[in-house]
Amino acid sequence: MRAASAHPSGVLGNLPAPDVRVGPGADPSWWRQAVVYQIYPRSFADSNGDGVGDLPGITSRVDYLSRLGVDAVWLSPFYPSALADGGYDVDDYRAVDPTLGTLDDFDDLVGGLHGAGIRLVVDIVPNHTSNRHEWFREALRSAPGSSARDRYVFRTGSGIAGEQPPSDWQSLFGGPAWEPVGDGEWYLHLFAPEQPDLNWANAEVRADFLQTLRFWSDRGVDGFRVDVAHGLAKELADPMPSQRELDTGVLVDGAHPWEDRDEVHDIYREWRTVFDEYDPPRTAVAEAWVPTHRRTRYASPDGLGQAFNFDLLKAGWNAEDFHSVIEENLELAAPTSASTTWVFSNHDVVRHASRFALPDGTDLVQWLLHGGLDPAPDAELGMRRARAVTLLALALPGSTYLYQGEELGLPEVADLPTWSLQDPTWVRSAGKEKGRDGCRVPLPWTVEGPSFGFGEGASHLPQPSWFASYAVAAQLADPDSTLALYTRALQLRRALQTAETLTWVDSGSDVVAFRRPNGWCSITNFGATPIPVPPGKLLVVSDRLPDADTLPPNVTAWLRQTSGRSESEENQ
Ligand code: GLC
């Protein structure tokens, strides 16, 4: 299936034509400074009007992605799933959920993306299966101590008849992390009860995942995003530590029973041998919520090769924080052969246009519970800052991960009615946390229509009426739109991309400014007063400037500087 025919008229509007690129090519380093666009498939584009986005919907928008200028797509889980956790509860790792399409549709998507020179990274969820996976069904049918149970983490309960959980651990979505199965045994689920944890000490589990990696690699997948990469290796010897001991962080650097254990890297060394069977080698990026100094182990060349760096995602609007996070991560990446990554938004966090609209330090859980009204967001400020930090990050060495809709400047939908919430967090926390649905609302493509061009019918999460003003079609008509800014920045980035280093340019304590080796310079004003625009050819700005010489607060500019003059200003 080819893309353009399925576009609602006007969706591609006046975006510049894509570069003519024939296939993604064989460059084994393609990922190092790639822009990777995350698609949450159920909320991207719905081709059949059932309210749920699907693979043909994505294929129908390949031209959009191509004109936007991304290098790769990361596809969140599209596998058969009962959606206990938005698809991160996988029933079958080598199939497509029928609601989202078929394997043929998947092949069409690979063909469409590759034809446009865009690579495809798929999510792989190895920490847990769903409770509908055939292995788990078999485990429930089988006796304690059986090989079927050994694929998961079963333990005898405590108490006289095993009626108490083996430990007091809490799941990450709230509630106990153990579920009884009625014969004195309990199984571990770090997430929802529908997500039983796998036992990675089991040889069959390990071998089967290698098959899954080959299955998708053989179908042309270019890489994998590894879910909960830090959680697979477990050591649950009795007595297990208490939840309090886990919370207080006494068990750091490899001593925690399931978080960031050293043995986890043996698993990824095995995976690397599979990645290297392909030409170019398949890539991987770890989702590892571990301290910065432990992250590089996931990104090692004999392991997954790259790891998400969430440090900027957690940073406030503060030049000093940005400076130190960038410096630390570049320093950490330098001795490894990985490149670092930059992320502001994904399907798990409040969208960054909303985060930057709130005072630093706002408790986002409470803010969502208050329907996004307390504290009141300054939407315009949030938008300006979100555009500024994205432009900053796109000038950095390393790869940048974008989340669908951020190119439209979409804010969080903070007031979703509780009846519509799908995230297990809402129920598991007994209404104390609304969860992540507000960043997963289907994209608006057109200004009108039953779901703003997402599909022919209503969308699976309700879209607010204000989505109309963020629609792709509306932004295409506006040269100052966020979509136009992203498109321009990605085009320039592709043209300017250079060695993975930068030189800091001292421009004051409220400013983050740096220059890449070819004179590509980025400057961001984090302060409250305007500053002069440095010398050089102005390439793009995150917001209009009052005049060509003044960079107002909350704005980033890219310039091209020629060596002589600017070198003298350097202060490393
Ligand atoms: C990761 C995913 C998140 C999911 C969790 C459990 O953190 O990003 O969406 O809920 O893993 O699979």
Side-chain angles (χ1 to χ4, degrees):
M1 178 188 298
R2 285 319 309 259
S5 57
H7 276 294
S9 60
V11 159
L12 292 180
N14 58 3
L15 274 182
D19 296 349
V20 179
R21 287 174 279 159
V22 185
D27 175 11
S29 305
W30 69 264
W31 51 277
R32 299 193 65 87
Q33 304 211 67
V35 172
V36 185
Y37 181 93
Q38 180 189 358
I39 291 184
Y40 187 74
R42 289 175 177 80
S43 298
F44 188 70
D46 168 19
S47 73
N48 59 5
D50 65 358
V52 179
D54 45 43
L55 300 187
I58 302 170
T59 309
S60 76
R61 300 298 201 276
V62 167
D63 277 6
Y64 172 78
L65 299 167
S66 177
R67 288 172 190 234
L68 178 59
V70 302
D71 299 303
V73 161
W74 148 28
L75 190 58
S76 280
F78 52 91
Y79 314 108
S81 169
L83 301 184
D85 178 21
Y88 285 87
D89 46 319
V90 177
D91 299 347
D92 178 350
Y93 291 87
R94 304 202 272 267
V96 174
D97 190 302
T99 317
L100 271 60
T102 61
L103 275 173
D104 284 344
D105 293 328
F106 184 86
D107 294 341
D108 283 347
L109 175 59
V110 174
L113 289 170
H114 282 178
I118 299 172
R119 291 183 166 82
L120 178 62
V121 170
V122 297
D123 224 308
I124 187 109
V125 188
N127 181 66
H128 42 264
T129 67
S130 83
N131 59 347
R132 307 196 316 173
H133 191 285
E134 58 163 336
W135 279 353
F136 194 70
R137 293 172 194 257
E138 192 190 342
L140 291 186
R141 288 195 305 269
S142 306
S146 59
S147 54
R149 288 219 175 165
D150 189 58
R151 297 190 193 110
Y152 292 89
V153 185
F154 279 88
R155 289 291 182 278
T156 309
S158 58
I160 294 164
E163 73 284 4
Q164 298 293 329
S167 72
D168 68 344
W169 296 355
Q170 296 294 295
S171 90
L172 295 163
F173 291 150
W178 295 96
E179 197 72 6
V181 295
D183 55 16
E185 285 215 320
W186 299 60
Y187 68 88
L188 179 71
H189 57 89
L190 294 178
F191 294 90
E194 295 86 355
Q195 294 167 293
D197 279 55
L198 283 166
N199 170 18
W200 275 86
N202 179 291
E204 202 186 338
V205 167
R206 287 170 94 117
D208 194 75
F209 267 85
L210 300 183
Q211 283 314 108
T212 296
L213 296 176
R214 288 194 183 97
F215 179 86
W216 294 111
S217 299
D218 289 343
R219 293 196 105 87
V221 157
D222 300 280
F224 298 89
R225 177 264 186 191
V226 184
D227 191 63
V228 197
H230 57 299
L232 276 52
K234 298 191 171 75
E235 175 55 67
L236 269 61
D238 281 326
M240 284 183 232
S242 66
Q243 183 64 46
R244 200 169 154 275
E245 285 172 287
L246 301 186
D247 290 343
T248 48
V250 229
L251 306 162
V252 289
D253 287 0
H256 192 284
W258 59 264
E259 206 170 74
D260 192 27
R261 295 188 61 80
D262 292 343
E263 310 91 88
V264 82
H265 300 290
D266 298 338
I267 298 167
Y268 302 133
R269 274 189 282 275
E270 267 176 25
W271 287 24
R272 174 54 56 189
T273 62
V274 173
F275 299 151
D276 288 348
E277 288 166 10
Y278 293 86
D279 182 20
R282 295 330 188 214
T283 65
V285 57
E287 184 215 24
W289 291 89
V290 297
T292 305
H293 72 280
R294 303 273 297 177
R295 189 185 303 133
T296 46
R297 309 176 81 208
Y298 294 83
S300 84
D302 65 345
L304 295 177
Q306 200 178 46
F308 284 129
N309 155 18
F310 296 122
D311 297 350
L312 280 188
L313 188 154
K314 292 184 270 182
W317 180 256
N318 177 317
E320 207 179 316
D321 286 0
F322 267 68
H323 190 285
S324 58
V325 162
I326 295 166
E327 191 156 67
E328 182 180 17
N329 280 285
L330 292 179
E331 269 169 20
L332 279 172
T336 73
S337 39
S339 61
T340 194
T341 58
W342 309 107
V343 184
F344 288 108
S345 280
N346 63 34
H347 66 299
D348 288 332
V349 297
V350 170
R351 285 184 177 276
H352 70 288
S354 291
R355 293 202 312 272
F356 284 117
L358 296 166
D360 275 355
T362 298
D363 179 336
L364 296 170
V365 169
Q366 291 305 316
W367 179 73
L368 286 174
L369 279 175
H370 293 126
L373 298 173
D374 184 18
D378 181 339
E380 201 194 314
L381 180 67
M383 192 68 265
R384 282 167 80 80
R385 291 183 169 176
R387 289 166 60 128
V389 295
T390 300
L391 198 58
L392 183 167
L394 285 169
L396 289 170
S399 45
T400 303
Y401 284 77
L402 307 177
Y403 176 52
Q404 67 180 37
E406 68 163 89
E407 79 278 19
L408 307 176
L410 270 188
E412 184 83 359
V413 183
D415 58 353
L416 280 172
T418 52
W419 59 259
S420 70
L421 297 178
Q422 300 173 6
D423 188 339
T425 307
W426 170 244
V427 170
R428 301 271 307 159
S429 71
K432 292 202 184 69
E433 284 191 44
K434 264 180 113 174
R436 302 159 294 177
D437 293 308
C439 66
R440 300 175 178 183
V441 176
L443 293 192
W445 293 87
T446 54
V447 176
E448 287 172 349
S451 51
F452 301 114
F454 165 70
E456 293 300 316
S459 64
H460 69 101
L461 278 169
Q463 298 158 305
S465 56
W466 51 260
F467 256 35
S469 58
Y470 289 87
V472 172
Q475 301 208 22
L476 287 169
D478 176 4
D480 291 332
S481 69
T482 305
L483 180 57
L485 172 69
Y486 271 65
T487 307
R488 173 97 179 114
L490 295 192
Q491 242 179 11
L492 282 166
R493 175 185 160 101
R494 188 182 291 265
L496 292 167
Q497 201 50 272
T498 178
E500 291 171 40
T501 56
L502 61 71
T503 306
W504 293 109
V505 179
D506 185 3
S507 309
S509 61
D510 282 335
V511 179
V512 172
F514 55 88
R515 187 165 48 247
R516 303 287 296 275
N518 55 357
W520 173 17
C521 174
S522 172
I523 177 165
T524 306
N525 184 358
F526 283 84
T529 49
I531 55 170
V533 174
K537 180 174 181 306
L538 199 58
L539 300 173
V540 63
V541 279
S542 62
D543 255 301
R544 275 179 188 256
L545 302 185
D547 59 72
D549 302 321
T550 310
L551 191 69
N554 309 309
V555 177
T556 295
W558 285 3
L559 301 110
R560 189 77 189 262
Q561 297 183 327
T562 45
S563 45
R565 181 167 183 185
S566 47
E567 292 301 332
S568 61
E569 297 154 4
E570 270 182 29
N571 181 355
Q572 293 193 47

